[in-house]
Amino acid sequence: MSDSANPGADGATRDAAEADGGGPAQVSSPDYHSENHTAAQTCGWTANALRGEGKCYKNIFYGIESHRCIQMTPVVRCNERCVFCWRDHQGHSYEMDDVAWDDPEAVVDASIDLQKKLLSGFGGNEEVPREVFEQAMEPRHVAISLDGEPTLYPYLPELIEAFHDRDITTFLVSNGTRPEMLRDCDPTQLYVSVDAPERHTFDQVVGAMEDDAWEKLLETMHVLAEKDDTRTVLRTTLVKGENMHNPDWYAGFYQQADPDFIELKAYMHVGHSRGRLDRSAMPEHDEVIEFAEEIRDHMPGFDEVMGVPASRVALLSQTKDTWVPKLQKGSEFWERDPVTGD
């Protein structure tokens, strides 16, 4: 799983869950709710946005309304063991023989229901304006990125369509090990993790459980290059001393996918990653920007470098206008909004 830098629940909650011996923290944490194989968790930025304390970088870069975004996954299992992942690797067995899969509509229903339950307590919070809470009860975005590897869910293309049928945008985050699945997926925005510029670093940092994971990632780059109607993003989690080297190699790798955007985000020293990495492995924001600029020098056309210091993230883009077009204010998407639209 690749959306590693925003664990959602605070570290104190995870630490308490681990100390109680209740199994993997992502399952035992009271902030992590699930229904069969579907799980959702309140992102820290969702809570901040409800209280008027800032929004996720996805709002700044792409127009997502943080308080109306579901952070979920259709499968809490993963086929990689990334050294920087905040999750408990012991809780990520990826054999699927024992899973009774829900159909996509059931997963959508579960995601929305779980989100409403997770946010219900904000309705009585004096710091949360009533109109903002009512908006949050009608989510318009979903980040399929909470945990596990979403492409292990066999009906992922249909799940994305089901969310779209509910007028909910989809941001899908994948590790790129199932190119045949991603070929059939057309989310609003498709992220693929590229956490190494070559095979040796990949083996050291990603810890793939399948021997052909690197070859599958290479195949996925070509799948992305063929995507005409889906916005594509390559996402690299930067770990000092591990994968912050050879910016020219990263540039060459990225160019195979012909991406719309490239995100470089600092590893965050949280959760179970603290047992694998030292705090010094977490780069500062200015180091992320500097590395992004070094990559940019080898990427013709990617002239724009944007950053959000609070998230230690940099974005490489060919244009200053990076918002999802349908999320522009006054668009049909917002006119159809059940809370704020006409």
Side-chain angles (χ1 to χ4, degrees), residues 3 6 43 45 55-66 69 71 143 145 171 173 189 191 235 263 265 308 311 313 322-324 327:
D3 200 9
N6 184 6
C43 171
W45 286 110
K55 297 181 179 182
C56 172
Y57 75 90
K58 295 183 182 71
N59 170 261
I60 298 169
F61 288 163
Y62 309 122
I64 293 297
E65 289 293 340
S66 302
C69 183
Q71 182 183 226
S145 65
F171 275 29
V173 181
Q189 192 154 290
Y191 287 79
R235 162 81 174 268
E263 280 187 17
K265 198 172 191 309
V308 179
S311 296
V313 61
T322 59
W323 273 33
V324 176
L327 298 184

Side-chain angles (χ1 to χ4, degrees), residues 66-339:
S66 302
H67 67 298
R68 307 189 71 177
C69 183
I70 305 171
Q71 182 183 226
M72 61 76 64
T73 181
V75 53
V76 189
R77 302 191 182 197
C78 193
N79 55 353
E80 293 184 343
R81 302 293 182 266
C82 298
V83 66
F84 53 77
C85 184
W86 64 270
R87 284 90 171 174
D88 176 12
H89 288 167
Q90 292 183 359
H92 273 127
S93 169
Y94 72 98
E95 291 76 14
M96 300 295 166
D97 294 341
D98 61 336
V99 179
W101 296 111
D102 287 337
D103 65 58
E105 290 294 339
V107 173
V108 173
D109 287 339
S111 301
I112 295 172
D113 290 345
L114 289 168
Q115 179 79 345
K116 290 182 177 181
K117 290 176 183 177
L118 285 163
L119 300 184
S120 60
F122 285 96
N125 189 327
E126 294 181 356
E127 298 178 2
V128 178
R130 189 66 194 178
E131 62 179 332
V132 175
F133 174 73
E134 290 176 354
Q135 291 173 12
M137 290 294 100
E138 294 287 345
R140 301 303 309 277
H141 319 291
V142 60
I144 308 174
S145 65
L146 169 63
D147 203 340
E149 170 49 39
T151 58
L152 298 178
Y153 174 59
Y155 310 116
L156 185 59
E158 294 84 358
L159 175 62
I160 290 167
E161 291 180 10
F163 275 118
H164 291 175
D165 288 343
R166 308 280 186 101
D167 228 1
I168 294 174
T169 66
T170 54
F171 275 29
L172 172 64
V173 181
S174 172
N175 61 25
T177 56
R178 296 290 187 271
E180 66 282 359
M181 176 67 78
L182 292 176
R183 184 173 285 110
D184 294 331
C185 290
D186 290 304
T188 307
Q189 192 154 290
L190 172 57
Y191 287 79
V192 171
S193 293
V194 177
D195 295 310
E198 33 67 32
R199 178 64 183 266
H200 175 72
T201 302
F202 180 85
D203 289 341
Q204 295 296 115
V205 172
V206 172
M209 303 299 290
E210 299 163 333
D211 292 338
D212 61 350
W214 174 253
E215 288 74 21
K216 291 296 187 181
L217 181 60
L218 289 171
E219 184 179 344
T220 291
M221 295 301 100
H222 298 292
V223 169
L224 297 186
E226 297 170 356
K227 295 281 186 184
D228 294 326
D229 299 323
T230 300
R231 288 162 55 105
T232 57
V233 185
L234 299 183
R235 162 81 174 268
T236 300
T237 299
L238 296 176
V239 188
K240 288 178 67 174
E242 299 287 342
N243 66 354
M244 288 184 70
H245 54 72
N246 298 110
D248 54 336
W249 289 21
Y250 272 109
F253 196 104
Y254 292 154
Q255 287 169 340
Q256 297 178 75
D258 189 25
D260 293 298
F261 308 103
I262 298 163
E263 280 187 17
L264 297 111
K265 198 172 191 309
Y267 153 68
M268 303 305 287
H269 192 62
V270 296
H272 287 271
S273 75
R274 292 172 296 180
R276 311 181 203 111
L277 295 168
D278 189 79
R279 187 174 181 82
S280 62
M282 184 170 61
E284 299 292 338
H285 180 67
D286 59 353
E287 293 175 302
V288 173
I289 293 294
E290 180 180 356
F291 194 70
E293 290 174 340
E294 292 175 359
I295 292 174
R296 185 268 314 273
D297 291 341
H298 301 281
M299 299 275 304
F302 282 79
D303 299 324
E304 301 296 330
V305 180
M306 309 174 193
V308 179
S311 296
R312 302 192 190 194
V313 61
L315 181 70
L316 295 180
S317 173
Q318 300 178 66
T319 175
K320 292 182 179 180
D321 185 7
T322 59
W323 273 33
V324 176
K326 71 188 304 179
L327 298 184
Q328 298 287 347
K329 302 304 179 184
S331 68
E332 288 186 16
F333 179 81
W334 293 117
E335 288 177 356
R336 294 192 302 270
D337 189 84
V339 179

